[in-house]
Amino acid sequence: MTLNRVVRLGDILVRLRVLAIMLLLPCLLSGQQTKDQSVPDAPTPQPPESLGNLTTGVAPGKGTQQDIPVEGTNTTQVPSSTGNQSTGPDQDLATFNIPVNYVIVPVTVLDKKHQEVAGLTWRDFQIFENNARQRIALFSADAAPLSVALVIDQSLPRDTMKKVNDSLAAIQGGFTPADEIAVFTYADGVSNPTDFTAALSARVPAVLQQSKKEGDYLGVPTNSGPLYGGPSINGRSVDPNLDPQRGNSGVGVIPKEIHTLNDAILEAGKALSTRPKEYRRIIYVISDGKESRSKAKFGEVVHYLEGNRIAVYGTLVGDSATWGLGYLDKFKIPLLPLSADNILPKYADATGGHLYSEFSENGIQSSMAKLAALARTQYTIAFYSHVPVLDEKFRSIEVRVLRPNLDVVTEKGYYPTATNLQR
C-alpha cells in the first residue's frame, strides 16, 4: 500500500517537471534571440575609394588651393537657420561676404641718397584721405608677389636699342617663382607677344628674344640740299621713292616720329586690371619716355591706372637718361629742355612708381633688379575709407613719415570703382 503511493507521487513529480520545462522553453528561446540580436554583425569589406581625376584636381606646377577670404572683404560665418537644424559644431555654417571700403596703399620710403629705408613701424606713419587723417587698420613690411607688365620701346635709336636688347636677358634675375610677367612692345602701335606667365618660365627669354628690334635710323633727316632725294644719275633719281612729293617745290616733308607710349601703357594696364588682388600690379617701361600719335590721352590713362591701383616704374634710356633727369622731372624742375618730350616721370609721380636713368647696358640691367626689389618690399598700409561708397569722385591720398630727411613715394589717390572698392 505504501509502495504504490510512493510510485504515484514520483510519477506526478516527473510529469510536473516536464510540464514546467514545456512552459519555460518559449521564454528561454526568446531571450536567446534577443541576446543574439544585440551583437552587431561584422562590417562588410568595402573597395578602396577612387582617387578621382588628378588631372583636374591639381594643376601642373601648382599646389592645392585653400579657401581664403578675398582681400578687401569682411567674411563672417553665421549659423544656418533653415528648418529645425541644430547649430552645433558639427553643423554646416552659411558664409556671407560683406564688401567694405577697405583701401590698401603701397608705400616706398627713400633717404636723401634715394636708397630704400627699412625697419619702420606703423607708428612712423600717418595716412590721410581727402586731407582727413585715417586710422591705420593694417600695416605690413612683408614682401609681396609681383604681377608685371613689361613695356619695351622699339622706336629708340639704334645704338640705344642695341643696349636695351643686350640687357633683356637679365630681366628674369629680378623675379621670384611667385611672380608673373607679360610682355608688351610698341613703336607705331602696340603688340602683346605673351600674356601673363610665370616670370621664371622658359617662355619669357624666348619671347624677349623675338621682341628685339634694330631701332630707328640715327641719321639726321634733310628736306633740302644735295643730300635730299638720294643719289641721282644724269639728273634722275636712282630711287623714285626718295623723290620730292608733288607740289612741294623740291622741298621734302620730314616725317614725324611715332611713339605710342600712352596706348602701350593703357593696354598693359587693362591686362593688369584682371590680375589677382594679392599681387602688386606693376607696369615696367624701358623707354626714353617720348610720346606721339597715341589714340589714348595721358589724363585718360592715368585715370584708368589710378582706378585699378597700378603703379608705373621705368628705366629711362637714350636722351632722357641724363643723370638725375628723371628724378628732377618728377618734381617739375624747370629749364630742362631735354625732358620736354619725356612723360614717364609724370606717370611714375601720379601712380607712386619710381624711375632710374641709365646710359650703359650694365646700368640698364642693374636697374631692372633694383626696381623689382623696390616694388616687392614696399610697406603696405590699409584703412577703412569713410567716404560714401556711392561717391565716385577722385579721393586724394597722402602718407607722412614722422622721421626727418625721408621721402615718401606713393600714389596721389584713386578713383573708387566697382572692382577696387572690395580690395
Side-chain angles (χ1 to χ4, degrees):
M1 184 76 178
T2 304
L3 181 60
N4 292 335
R5 291 182 178 178
V6 172
V7 172
R8 291 179 180 178
L9 288 173
D11 186 40
I12 292 173
L13 291 175
V14 171
R15 292 181 179 182
L16 289 174
R17 289 178 180 178
V18 174
L19 180 61
I21 292 173
M22 294 179 63
L23 293 175
L24 293 176
L25 184 61
C27 295
L28 293 175
L29 293 176
S30 176
Q32 183 65 30
Q33 291 179 357
T34 304
K35 182 178 179 180
D36 293 341
Q37 292 178 358
S38 63
V39 179
D41 294 334
T44 303
Q46 299 292 331
E49 295 183 0
S50 174
L51 294 178
N53 189 350
L54 293 180
T55 60
T56 59
V58 180
K62 298 181 180 179
T64 56
Q65 297 182 352
Q66 300 178 351
D67 293 335
I68 301 176
V70 178
E71 182 183 350
T73 61
N74 184 6
T75 304
T76 306
Q77 291 188 333
V78 183
S80 175
S81 59
T82 305
N84 296 323
Q85 300 177 357
S86 62
T87 59
D90 296 334
Q91 301 298 320
D92 293 335
L93 298 177
T95 301
F96 298 90
N97 292 328
I98 306 174
V100 295
N101 200 0
Y102 187 64
V103 184
I104 297 178
V105 183
V107 179
T108 301
V109 181
L110 304 174
D111 59 20
K112 292 304 180 181
K113 296 182 180 180
H114 313 306
Q115 300 296 320
E116 188 177 10
V117 178
L120 300 179
T121 68
W122 67 272
R123 299 180 185 276
D124 297 313
F125 290 90
Q126 292 181 346
I127 188 165
F128 298 80
E129 183 186 42
N130 290 346
N131 298 322
R133 184 177 175 181
Q134 305 296 314
R135 178 181 176 274
I136 296 178
L138 173 113
F139 177 85
S140 174
D142 296 334
L146 302 180
S147 183
V148 178
L150 173 63
V151 179
I152 304 173
D153 185 356
Q154 294 181 338
S155 63
L156 297 168
R158 290 191 179 184
D159 60 338
T160 304
M161 194 77 245
K162 183 179 184 304
K163 296 177 184 178
V164 172
N165 290 337
D166 294 340
S167 65
L168 291 179
I171 281 184
Q172 284 187 304
F175 292 102
T176 70
D179 301 330
E180 61 178 12
I181 185 173
V183 178
F184 294 82
T185 61
Y186 76 95
D188 183 5
V190 183
S191 178
N192 180 205
T194 180
D195 202 351
F196 284 96
T197 185
L200 300 185
S201 68
R203 179 179 179 82
V204 175
V207 171
L208 293 178
Q209 180 65 31
Q210 296 175 357
S211 301
K212 295 180 179 180
K213 300 297 180 181
E214 291 185 356
D216 290 342
Y217 178 62
L218 291 173
V220 179
T222 59
N223 63 353
S224 63
L227 298 179
Y228 174 68
S232 61
I233 299 177
N234 296 328
R236 302 185 65 177
S237 176
V238 175
D239 186 357
N241 293 322
L242 299 178
D243 286 342
Q245 298 179 6
R246 182 180 301 177
N248 284 341
S249 303
V251 179
V253 178
I254 301 176
K256 293 184 179 180
E257 296 183 3
I258 302 178
H259 310 277
T260 55
L261 177 57
N262 287 342
D263 290 345
I265 293 180
L266 180 59
E267 290 301 317
K270 290 180 179 179
L272 279 170
S273 66
T274 63
R275 307 318 299 162
K277 296 181 181 297
E278 59 267 22
Y279 283 84
R280 193 155 285 167
R281 301 171 179 176
I282 302 296
I283 295 178
Y284 174 45
V285 185
I286 305 176
S287 171
D288 58 7
K290 294 181 180 179
E291 156 59 35
S292 63
R293 297 196 177 186
S294 283
K295 296 179 180 179
K297 303 299 182 182
F298 172 80
E300 298 171 350
V301 179
V302 170
H303 187 137
Y304 187 86
L305 299 180
E306 290 174 336
N308 289 278
R309 319 309 299 274
I310 300 171
V312 176
Y313 288 70
T315 298
L316 291 169
V317 295
D319 294 342
S320 299
T322 302
W323 184 88
L325 187 59
Y327 186 78
L328 295 176
D329 270 351
K330 184 175 180 180
F331 294 96
K332 303 178 178 61
I333 303 298
L335 302 178
L336 292 173
L338 292 178
S339 65
D341 297 331
N342 181 12
I343 65 171
L344 267 183
K346 298 179 181 178
Y347 274 114
D349 183 40
T351 60
H354 195 74
L355 297 177
Y356 283 103
S357 299
E358 301 293 346
F359 270 118
S360 66
E361 176 185 337
N362 291 335
I364 296 173
Q365 292 179 358
S366 62
S367 69
M368 296 174 180
K370 289 188 290 186
L371 287 173
L374 192 67
R376 188 190 319 282
T377 57
Q378 289 178 305
Y379 295 101
T380 301
I381 301 176
F383 65 92
Y384 291 93
S385 175
H386 292 82
V387 180
V389 176
L390 297 180
D391 187 352
E392 299 181 355
K393 297 180 180 179
F394 179 78
R395 304 177 184 182
S396 64
I397 289 179
E398 180 186 2
V399 178
R400 300 176 186 175
V401 177
L402 304 180
R403 291 193 183 186
N405 302 321
L406 297 180
D407 293 330
V408 178
V409 181
T410 188
E411 57 188 310
K412 299 299 182 183
Y414 68 98
Y415 286 92
T417 64
T419 57
N420 66 26
L421 280 178
Q422 301 178 22
R423 301 185 212 283

